Amino acid sequence: MRAGGTDGAGGSEATTYREALREALREALGADERVFLMGEDVGRYGGCFGVSLGLLEQFGPDRVRDTPLSESAFVGAGIGAALAGMRPIVEIMTVNFSLLALDQILNNAATLRHMSGGQVGVPLVIRMTTGAGRQLAAQHSHSLEGWYAHIPGIRVLAPATLQDARLLLAPALADPDPVLIFEHGTLYNTAGNLDPAVHAVDLDHAAVPREGTDLTVVAYGGCLSKALAAAQELAGDGISAEVIDLRSLRPLDDATVVGSVRRTHGRAVVVDEGWRSGGLSAEISARITEQAFFDLDAPVERVCSAEVPIPYARQLEEAALPQVSGIVAAARRVVG
C-alpha cells in the first residue's frame, strides 16, 4: 500500500473523520499561538457538524471565535489577519455559503501575492463542508470544488480518508498562500483506525489506496469510497482496478494519474460528484488525453452527478449522484 492508503493499523485507536479533524485543529491551536479558528457557531455550539466541539473551553474565545452570519466579513477578516502575520483557520458552514465570500476568496486571497509583486502572502486556511447524499436539497448539496480548482493562487484539498483528515491541516497551515479544504458531509461519521506510523502526508501527490492492472479509477472526497467499492465488485469479475485518490485538486498530480493509466493498459474512469460540463472530470480527462493519447485503449469514461439541482427525495438524490453501479458499468465499458 502506498502513502495515503486505506486507514487502519494494528494497535491504533478507532476514531471518526469528525474526531480526526478535531484533533488536527487541537494540535494546530496548541502548537502555534498565531493559529485561531473562526466561523459561524464554531465556539459555543461546537461547530455545525460538531468538528470544533470542546475547543472553545480548551483555548478560549480569542482562539475560537464565533462570528456574525456574514461570510464576506469573516473571510475578509481572516485575510486581514493572515496579512498581519496570524495563521487563521476560517470555517464556512457549507460550500454554498462560500459563494457569499467569493469576492474575498477570488479577488483578494488568491491575488494579493501577485498584485503586491510578491510583497505579501495570505497564509489562510478555509474549511468548508461540501457534497450531497444527506437529503439537504439543492441549496446545501453543492460540489463546487471544481470552481475553486479553476482559480490560480490557491491550493484546493479534498481529504477523503481519516488519515488525511488528521494530517492535512498542518501542511496547509504551513503553506504561505491560501488553502481551501473541502470536507464531504457524508464522511464525518465514518470510523476507522489511524496508522500510528504515518505522521505526515504529501499535499503534492495523489494517493493510491488500491493497486490494479486492468484500468484506473480516479476519484476524490466523498466518491473515493464508492470507487473502492466498485473496484472490489470488479475484482469479483476478474477485473483489477487501480484507484487514485486525487487528494489535491489544485494543483492536480498529473504524473500519478497519467502514470497509472499507462500501467493499466490505457483505460480510465473519472468519478466526480460535480457536474459534468466544465467540471473537474473534464479537466482530468483532457489531461489524460493530452499526455497519454497514444497509450489509451478506450475513451476515458466519466461518472458525474446529473446536471440538475440536487433533489430532496432520497431516491431522486441517489439517482442524481454517482453510485457504485455506475462506476462498475463505466469500468466494464472501458475494459470491453
Side-chain angles (χ1 to χ4, degrees):
M1 189 69 65
R2 302 182 194 177
T6 55
D7 302 309
S12 60
E13 292 186 6
T15 189
T16 66
Y17 187 92
R18 174 186 291 105
E19 291 165 347
L21 291 167
R22 185 185 303 139
E23 286 308 306
L25 288 168
R26 179 176 285 117
E27 180 182 72
L29 288 163
D32 188 343
E33 291 186 353
R34 298 175 300 170
V35 174
F36 67 96
L37 172 68
M38 69 174 174
E40 297 163 356
D41 291 331
V42 299
R44 194 176 308 172
Y45 188 68
C48 182
F49 299 95
V51 173
S52 55
L53 198 65
L55 297 182
L56 173 65
E57 291 76 10
Q58 182 175 355
F59 294 100
D62 287 341
R63 307 286 304 285
V64 182
R65 293 173 171 254
D66 285 316
T67 66
L69 303 182
S70 176
E71 283 74 15
S72 180
F74 64 74
V75 171
I79 293 170
L83 290 170
M86 303 296 284
R87 292 293 183 271
I89 304 168
V90 174
E91 178 179 309
I92 298 177
M93 194 176 292
T94 56
V95 64
N96 55 291
F97 294 135
S98 74
L99 301 181
L100 299 169
L102 192 55
D103 178 57
Q104 297 284 14
I105 296 169
L106 171 58
N107 288 325
N108 291 304
T111 61
L112 280 171
R113 180 177 295 281
H114 170 76
M115 296 293 286
S116 69
Q119 295 179 78
V120 297
V122 184
L124 167 72
V125 172
I126 301 176
R127 298 173 41 246
M128 64 187 91
T129 301
T130 187
R134 297 166 290 145
Q135 284 190 275
L136 295 180
Q139 291 191 357
H140 298 287
S141 301
H142 294 86
S143 296
L144 302 180
E145 296 91 322
W147 287 19
Y148 288 101
H150 180 70
I151 300 171
I154 61 175
R155 181 186 289 272
V156 179
L157 303 177
T161 66
L162 298 180
Q163 209 78 45
D164 282 359
R166 177 65 181 87
L167 298 174
L168 278 179
L169 181 61
L173 282 167
D175 196 302
D177 295 308
V179 178
L180 273 58
I181 301 178
F182 289 85
E183 303 160 6
H184 200 282
T186 62
L187 295 178
Y188 286 121
N189 290 329
T190 57
N193 297 309
L194 294 171
D195 186 345
V198 178
H199 302 290
V201 294
D202 182 358
L203 299 188
D204 295 321
H205 295 94
V208 186
R210 184 183 180 112
E211 296 182 346
T213 57
D214 293 328
L215 79 150
T216 297
V217 181
V218 183
Y220 68 90
C223 283
L224 177 64
S225 60
K226 297 177 182 180
L228 290 168
Q232 187 65 31
E233 183 174 333
L234 290 164
D237 296 333
I239 300 173
S240 175
E242 180 153 293
V243 178
I244 304 293
D245 173 12
L246 288 175
R247 182 189 280 159
S248 174
L249 308 181
R250 185 180 184 98
L252 282 170
D253 179 8
D254 295 0
T256 295
V257 173
V258 173
S260 174
V261 173
R262 286 177 173 147
R263 286 194 308 275
T264 59
H265 308 290
R267 302 165 180 148
V269 174
V270 182
V271 187
D272 180 11
E273 194 173 303
W275 293 308
R276 185 182 182 92
S277 298
L280 271 171
S281 68
E283 177 64 27
I284 297 162
S285 299
R287 294 196 188 192
I288 292 171
T289 303
E290 288 168 349
Q291 299 179 43
F293 179 79
F294 292 105
D295 297 290
L296 291 178
D297 190 53
V300 177
E301 285 271 354
R302 291 188 283 158
V303 182
C304 304
S305 291
E307 299 205 354
V308 297
I310 296 298
Y312 168 76
R314 169 64 69 191
Q315 68 273 26
L316 293 178
E317 182 182 43
E318 290 177 353
L321 297 174
Q323 301 295 349
V324 173
S325 59
I327 301 170
V328 169
R332 288 176 175 152
R333 286 195 295 270
V334 299
V335 171

